[in-house]
Amino acid sequence: MAQLSSVAGIPIGTIKFYLREGLLPAGERTSPNQADYDERHLRRLRLIRGLIEVGRLSIVEARRVVDAIDSDIGLAETFEVAQHTVSEQVDAVDLDRGALDLVDAAMTGWRVSEDNPGRLAAARVIGTFLAIGQPDERGWLARYAEAALLAADADLDEIESRPDREAQAETVIVGTVLGDALFAALRRAAQEHATSLRYGTESDGAG
Amino acid sequence: MAQLSSVAGIPIGTIKFYLREGLLPAGERTSPNQADYDERHLRRLRLIRGLIEVGRLSIVEARRVVDAIDSDIGLAETFEVAQHTVSEQVDAVDLDRGALDLVDAAMTGWRVSEDNPGRLAAARVIGTFLAIGQPDERGWLARYAEAALLAADADLDEIESRPDREAQAETVIVGTVLGDALFAALRRAAQEHATSLRYGTESDGAG
């Protein structure tokens, strides 16, 4: 375990905690106080840390998605587990009907179930916009929907590139949990770029 | 205040809390225990609630961005306040150099400063991907960058549609804080749609 800790750069206390919480499978015991950990343990350890520290999942949420990887459920169901884990529960009855109509209009032609957590969460955001008097005058919502389709297609291509079910399930989980953080980060960089293009503000030009 | 609470659908206790925390300006006092609140108070109240409840800002963060709206700083600076408020602080020295190079390659031609919080946060996500052995085989990162540019352009068009500096600053703040939640939500719906198109899974077809 000391070696695993040193290679992964993760404290032994954290590894023991993950083991106790059932997030990391136990190593193969070779003596009463010695166990063997292999490459799989290392990868899983890094996955768990990424989900918790970068993806901001709770221990319970991390265990739920890791269990989905280790199960034999299909990809659609794995997506469902991932989506429900990272999405805030929004109750349809609390939503502004006008906001829901706007979201459905932006998704015209999409095959999306009525209880898709994303559909409801999007309506909640748009409801907030409407409540504070922010009109959508330049097709903001529709353009976000278009961008979301690009990202979702990239997600599926990435998943299809994986060699087997377990690797695909892992990509579903990681892509769902960390994809939000990646897009949010890139949007901030893109905002600086677009602002600089339009208004000629200064930039160090790292890109 | 009772009337403001009833129109906004926000408890009096919450309104008093926002007033005490300096998030909401005091109403015009008409008697020792009576104050007038107008349309501006109502909008501001809804904005604060949206930032905190939907955007998940802390009180301190909400005050920081509301102060930016009420100041006379320019749009670029307002963006900076918004971005730094919603972005996790990532220290460049903690980042994998290879991950940073990949992010810069995906942003080729972009005018982005080296310390843009999005650039660093994106490198942190990609570093996690690399650490858990998730290769980027189908241009996932580059396609996310392309989607982010679409969103950023939509953001700027939306901001430009506003009539004055204060309204524009408000859109900068709201778009930055709630845009992440909106895109994440739409991506989930788009994933269901794209999965359904490719693999023909069942759907209620709300869209």
Side-chain angles (χ1 to χ4, degrees):
Chain A
M1 191 183 290
Q3 206 185 342
L4 181 67
S5 162
S6 136
V7 173
I10 296 173
I12 288 186
T14 305
I15 297 177
K16 283 187 173 165
F17 175 64
Y18 291 166
L19 282 166
R20 223 164 38 229
E21 293 288 332
L23 277 164
L24 192 68
E28 202 183 324
R29 198 154 287 281
T30 51
S31 82
N33 47 22
Q34 192 89 14
D36 262 0
Y37 295 91
D38 58 16
E39 186 59 32
R40 282 178 63 91
H41 284 97
L42 181 61
R43 285 195 54 195
R44 179 55 57 93
L45 186 54
R46 286 174 165 154
L47 170 67
I48 295 162
R49 213 219 346 213
L51 294 173
I52 292 173
E53 290 187 10
V54 182
R56 307 207 148 273
L57 294 194
S58 67
I59 297 292
V60 171
E61 291 166 340
R63 190 164 46 212
R64 193 182 310 146
V65 296
V66 161
D67 283 350
I69 294 173
D70 293 337
S71 73
D72 57 359
I73 60 175
L75 279 190
E77 213 179 319
T78 309
F79 255 123
E80 264 193 59
V81 173
Q83 293 206 348
H84 281 278
T85 301
V86 297
S87 303
E88 211 183 326
Q89 294 305 314
V90 176
D91 197 327
V93 299
D94 297 332
L95 291 172
D96 181 290
R97 182 70 233 178
L100 209 45
D101 287 344
L102 286 173
V103 169
D104 284 341
M107 306 191 310
T108 299
W110 292 21
R111 294 173 62 173
V112 171
S113 50
E114 291 203 2
D115 61 351
N116 178 289
R119 173 176 177 263
L120 302 179
R124 186 159 179 242
V125 173
I126 295 301
T128 302
F129 263 75
L130 297 177
I132 60 178
Q134 292 267 351
D136 178 5
E137 283 174 343
R138 304 283 179 96
W140 191 67
L141 174 58
R143 290 161 78 183
Y144 264 63
E146 190 192 339
L149 269 187
L150 281 184
D153 255 328
D155 291 339
L156 292 194
D157 283 347
E158 191 67 14
I159 291 160
E160 285 184 7
S161 76
R162 300 295 184 239
D164 55 40
R165 196 215 73 91
E166 188 185 336
Q168 292 190 338
E170 198 176 278
T171 299
V172 166
I173 297 300
V174 175
T176 301
V177 175
L178 298 187
D180 290 346
L182 178 65
F183 183 85
L186 290 172
R187 185 169 71 105
R188 306 209 200 307
Q191 283 174 340
E192 183 183 336
H193 168 60
T195 305
S196 168
L197 275 192
R198 287 195 194 197
Y199 312 115
T201 45
E202 291 297 314
S203 160
D204 306 341
Chain B
M1 190 184 289
Q3 206 185 343
L4 182 68
S5 161
S6 136
V7 173
I10 295 173
I12 289 185
T14 305
I15 298 177
K16 284 187 172 164
F17 176 65
Y18 290 166
L19 282 167
R20 223 164 36 232
E21 293 289 331
L23 277 163
L24 192 68
E28 203 183 326
R29 197 154 290 282
T30 52
S31 82
N33 47 23
Q34 193 89 14
D36 262 2
Y37 295 92
D38 59 16
E39 186 60 32
R40 281 177 64 90
H41 283 97
L42 181 60
R43 284 195 56 194
R44 178 54 58 92
L45 187 54
R46 286 174 166 155
L47 169 68
I48 295 162
R49 211 214 354 206
L51 294 173
I52 292 172
E53 291 187 9
V54 182
R56 306 208 146 273
L57 294 194
S58 68
I59 297 293
V60 171
E61 291 166 340
R63 190 164 47 212
R64 193 181 310 146
V65 295
V66 160
D67 284 349
I69 295 172
D70 293 337
S71 74
D72 57 0
I73 60 176
L75 278 190
E77 215 180 318
T78 309
F79 255 122
E80 265 193 59
V81 173
Q83 293 206 348
H84 281 277
T85 301
V86 297
S87 303
E88 211 183 327
Q89 293 306 314
V90 175
D91 197 327
V93 300
D94 297 333
L95 291 172
D96 182 290
R97 183 68 234 179
L100 209 44
D101 287 344
L102 286 174
V103 168
D104 285 340
M107 306 192 310
T108 298
W110 292 21
R111 295 173 62 173
V112 172
S113 51
E114 291 204 2
D115 60 351
N116 178 288
R119 173 176 177 262
L120 302 179
R124 187 160 179 240
V125 173
I126 295 301
T128 302
F129 262 75
L130 297 177
I132 59 178
Q134 292 266 351
D136 178 7
E137 283 174 344
R138 305 281 179 96
W140 191 65
L141 174 57
R143 290 161 79 183
Y144 264 62
E146 190 192 339
L149 270 187
L150 282 184
D153 255 329
D155 290 339
L156 292 194
D157 283 347
E158 190 68 12
I159 291 159
E160 285 184 6
S161 76
R162 301 295 185 240
D164 54 40
R165 198 216 71 91
E166 187 184 337
Q168 291 190 340
E170 196 177 280
T171 300
V172 166
I173 297 300
V174 175
T176 301
V177 175
L178 298 187
D180 291 346
L182 178 64
F183 183 85
L186 290 172
R187 185 169 70 107
R188 306 209 200 306
Q191 283 174 338
E192 183 182 336
H193 168 61
T195 305
S196 168
L197 274 190
R198 287 195 195 196
Y199 313 115
T201 45
E202 291 298 313
S203 161
D204 307 341

